[in-house]
Amino acid sequence: MKIVVTGIPGTGKTTVLEKAIAKSEKKYTHINYGNVMFDEAKSKGLVKDRDEMRKLDPKIQKEIQKNAAKKIGKMENVIIDTHASILTPNGYLPGLPEWVLKEIMPNTVVILEASSEEISKRRSKDVSRKRDAEDIEGIKEHQEMNRAIAMAYGVLTGATVKIIKNPDNGLEDAAKNLANIF
């Protein structure tokens, strides 16, 4: 079983995912796709931190995506923590383009969402990352793009697509809803 969990930065994706895995009786390996890509790029001397990844030349990003997909595609019972889309200076880049999806072949794609205002507040409190500024309208657009891209993932792989809300003070419910998919 392969489950892809997506959400734009600030939705609480990793937090919800970790709590859901702890609630689940089934054993899954939690893989952060961005970390696999970062390890690949860093080993080649292309970046020093994860936030530099989205600014790489798109051709280089695609090669890094391919290599990460091959590694993850060989795994079983894995939950892949990733972004459906990455906002780059050139526009939105699919986090899992067709060549990646064919390697991974997820059974389910989950989109974690929160209100644009909540995401903006969460991001402003997170000093651990160097994120590009995105206003409320930009956050709304980004979440709309994620929905469209997630459905395209479903079309290409036959995966189901599930939207889970993670409002402020909603961590327990979001984690329970996610754990029910496992």
Side-chain angles (χ1 to χ4, degrees):
M1 176 82 115
K2 292 185 179 135
I3 301 167
V4 172
V5 178
T6 69
I8 69 170
T11 57
K13 176 174 42 58
T14 303
T15 304
V16 171
L17 180 51
E18 288 171 352
K19 191 154 205 74
I21 289 171
K23 289 179 177 291
S24 177
E25 294 178 12
K26 295 180 184 174
K27 297 293 177 206
Y28 284 91
T29 302
H30 174 195
I31 299 292
N32 184 299
Y33 197 89
N35 288 348
V36 177
M37 287 181 60
F38 172 64
D39 291 344
E40 175 81 14
K42 188 175 179 184
S43 74
K44 294 181 178 187
L46 299 171
V47 296
K48 293 178 185 163
D49 67 57
R50 266 194 66 174
D51 293 308
E52 292 177 334
M53 296 281 296
R54 67 184 176 278
K55 296 181 181 174
L56 289 172
D57 180 273
K59 289 169 92 173
I60 294 170
Q61 287 184 23
K62 289 174 186 175
E63 190 61 34
I64 292 168
Q65 282 177 326
K66 286 179 190 179
N67 293 339
K70 287 178 184 174
K71 288 178 186 175
I72 295 170
K74 294 175 185 173
M75 299 176 179
E76 293 294 327
N77 292 328
V78 63
I79 299 174
I80 303 146
D81 178 346
T82 192
H83 296 284
S85 62
I86 299 98
L87 182 56
T88 74
N90 295 328
Y92 292 97
L93 179 69
L96 304 173
E98 181 183 15
W99 58 86
V100 170
L101 288 169
K102 285 184 177 179
E103 292 286 343
I104 295 174
M105 289 304 291
N107 302 88
T108 302
V109 177
V110 176
I111 308 168
L112 199 66
E113 295 182 343
S115 76
S116 300
E117 294 77 14
E118 288 170 328
I119 291 170
S120 180
K121 286 178 189 173
R122 291 173 189 174
R123 288 179 180 178
S124 69
K125 293 177 185 175
D126 182 2
V127 295
S128 68
R129 300 288 300 270
K130 300 176 203 165
R131 302 189 195 280
D132 294 336
E134 200 172 12
D135 63 15
I136 299 295
E137 288 304 311
I139 292 170
K140 285 180 186 175
E141 177 182 274
H142 201 158
Q143 289 197 115
E144 289 169 7
M145 291 298 292
N146 273 4
R147 283 183 175 208
I149 288 171
M151 284 310 302
Y153 292 170
V155 168
L156 291 170
T157 64
T160 58
V161 177
K162 173 85 172 164
I163 298 170
I164 296 176
K165 301 290 184 181
N166 183 33
D168 287 343
N169 303 313
L171 175 60
E172 289 297 325
D173 286 341
K176 180 181 172 187
N177 289 335
L178 181 56
N180 286 339
I181 294 170
F182 305 165

